Amino acid sequence: MASYEAFARFYDAVQGDRAEALLFVRPHLAGAKTVLERACGAGSILAELQSGYEVVGVDLSPQMLEIAGSSASSSTSTATSTGWPRR
């Protein structure tokens, strides 16, 4: 797994606009009130969804979660780092 310590602040610029992913995600959210995104990275997809859902993101990179938390509405979003086992 790559370290995102140095890359985190450039992640969105390199990955580009992630809004196109919403075309695939939204059809699966019918009736949902909460969205959990695993490997949420900088939280760009959750930021787009937070106006209509309670959003929660998890990621192994504390640096990415720091960015995700700063771009999210603090009243509806949570970012969490976890110590999941790695293989």
Side-chain angles (χ1 to χ4, degrees):
M1 183 172 86
S3 171
Y4 288 95
E5 188 172 333
F7 183 59
R9 61 188 171 136
F10 304 109
Y11 183 82
D12 282 338
V14 172
Q15 292 291 22
D17 184 8
R18 303 294 309 263
E20 73 277 359
L22 294 172
L23 295 173
F24 302 100
V25 172
R26 287 194 192 274
H28 300 283
L29 299 179
K33 295 179 182 174
T34 304
V35 174
L36 168 65
E37 183 180 8
R38 294 173 36 201
C40 68
S44 59
I45 293 173
L46 293 177
E48 292 292 323
L49 294 173
Q50 70 183 356
S51 64
Y53 305 92
E54 179 179 354
V55 297
V56 178
V58 294
D59 200 285
L60 291 175
S61 169
Q63 293 80 15
M64 297 297 275
L65 290 172
E66 185 176 331
I67 294 168
S70 68
S71 65
S73 166
S74 59
S75 63
T76 59
S77 304
T78 304
T80 306
S81 179
T82 179
W84 288 327
R86 298 179 188 166
R87 293 181 183 205

